[in-house]
Amino acid sequence: MSSELQILLETINFSAEKHRNQRRKDPDATPYINHPIGVSRILSHEGGITDLQVLQAALLHDTVEDTDTTFEELEAIFGNKVARIVQEVTDDKTLPKHERKLLQVNHAPHCSHQAKLVKLADKLYNLRDLNRCTPTGWTAERVQEYFVWAAQVVKGLRGTNAALEEKLLQLFKERDVDI
Ligand SMILES: Nc1nc2c(ncn2[C@@H]2O[C@H](COP(=O)(O)OP(=O)(O)O)[C@@H](OP(=O)(O)OP(=O)(O)O)[C@H]2O)c(=O)[nH]1
Ligand SMILES: [Mn+2]
């Protein structure tokens, strides 16, 4: 087997173990790992991305934010470049929510190309997930607010990947959200 495939499988397994006790917020409490795998798949199948580091960073993108994983751990196992991409897309959960959300909007244009790709696919997955079903406890207004905020973030990511951006713009259009 090629070493690239081995690395990809190692990364999927690492992320699955880290997210093993976490569930999505949908009524079925879907295993959380469906999300990072889906984000990586969007990049590969819809974005045409073959850069292994980007596909790995997508698989790992919520491990530090949502589990006990550290950047040092990611760097030791997957190398400096993958760890850095994950760092760029990781929110500081110690900050108040409104501040975190504002930081994403302000930081998006300054991210590396690789991090921008992960951010585009993350938003595309989450917006599709909101169209599929409403997370437990979310009102229709909160869903719409997420679309409005996501459009602000995506605005700062434009010029990164035409296929992913086209699909995101269509989702905003369907919600009458300006970008
Ligand atoms: N649409 C949807 N999202 C869910 C679900 N379960 C968990 N999430 C996660 O919830 C986050 C969005 O919810 P918010 O209330 O806005 O954010 P918060 O969890 O960071 O406070 C996303 O985090 P994220 O991936 O880190 O991205 P981001 O929104 O922070 O950029 C998303 O992955 C679900 O069933 N549907
Ligand atoms: Mn995510």
Side-chain angles (χ1 to χ4, degrees):
M1 194 190 290
S2 82
S3 65
E4 283 216 331
L5 281 180
Q6 286 181 330
I7 289 167
L8 194 67
L9 288 170
E10 188 63 21
T11 313
I12 294 169
N13 187 65
F14 178 92
S15 187
E17 286 187 351
K18 289 295 189 177
H19 288 295
R20 70 159 71 238
N21 294 320
Q22 207 188 341
R23 297 288 179 274
R24 298 287 285 173
K25 299 168 185 166
D26 60 322
D28 290 343
T30 302
Y32 196 85
I33 190 62
N34 283 32
H35 168 62
I37 291 175
V39 172
S40 195
R41 184 190 179 280
I42 285 174
L43 285 164
S44 161
H45 292 238
E46 302 184 59
I49 303 303
T50 54
D51 179 344
L52 178 60
Q53 290 169 346
V54 172
L55 302 179
Q56 286 182 276
L59 288 164
L60 300 168
H61 81 273
D62 280 328
T63 56
V64 177
E65 198 172 296
D66 295 335
T67 78
D68 64 3
T69 309
T70 63
F71 293 119
E72 291 72 27
E73 193 179 0
L74 293 184
E75 189 171 1
I77 303 171
F78 302 109
N80 179 259
K81 283 186 182 166
V82 170
R84 278 226 318 263
I85 303 168
V86 175
Q87 194 159 18
E88 284 186 88
V89 303
T90 298
D91 281 359
D92 180 350
K93 282 269 182 119
T94 65
L95 295 175
K97 185 161 176 162
H98 71 274
E99 214 166 302
R100 274 193 285 126
K101 296 286 171 188
L102 190 63
L103 279 176
Q104 277 210 38
V105 176
N106 293 339
H107 284 167
H110 308 291
C111 284
S112 67
H113 178 73
Q114 289 176 312
K116 283 179 178 173
L117 286 168
V118 175
K119 290 182 74 68
L120 281 171
D122 190 22
K123 293 295 178 285
L124 184 52
Y125 185 103
N126 285 333
L127 295 174
R128 284 175 174 166
D129 220 12
L130 287 177
N131 282 342
R132 182 181 65 86
C133 65
T134 304
T136 307
W138 284 39
T139 60
E141 290 69 33
R142 182 163 172 191
V143 171
Q144 186 70 11
E145 277 167 22
Y146 188 92
F147 272 81
V148 170
W149 167 75
Q152 291 303 110
V153 179
V154 169
K155 199 174 176 177
L157 301 169
R158 291 183 83 166
T160 302
N161 182 283
L164 299 185
E165 287 162 49
E166 200 177 300
K167 291 175 186 201
L168 281 157
L169 294 188
Q170 181 58 33
L171 293 182
F172 295 132
K173 199 171 159 193
E174 286 166 16
R175 292 259 173 181
D176 284 322
V177 171
D178 292 325
I179 171 163

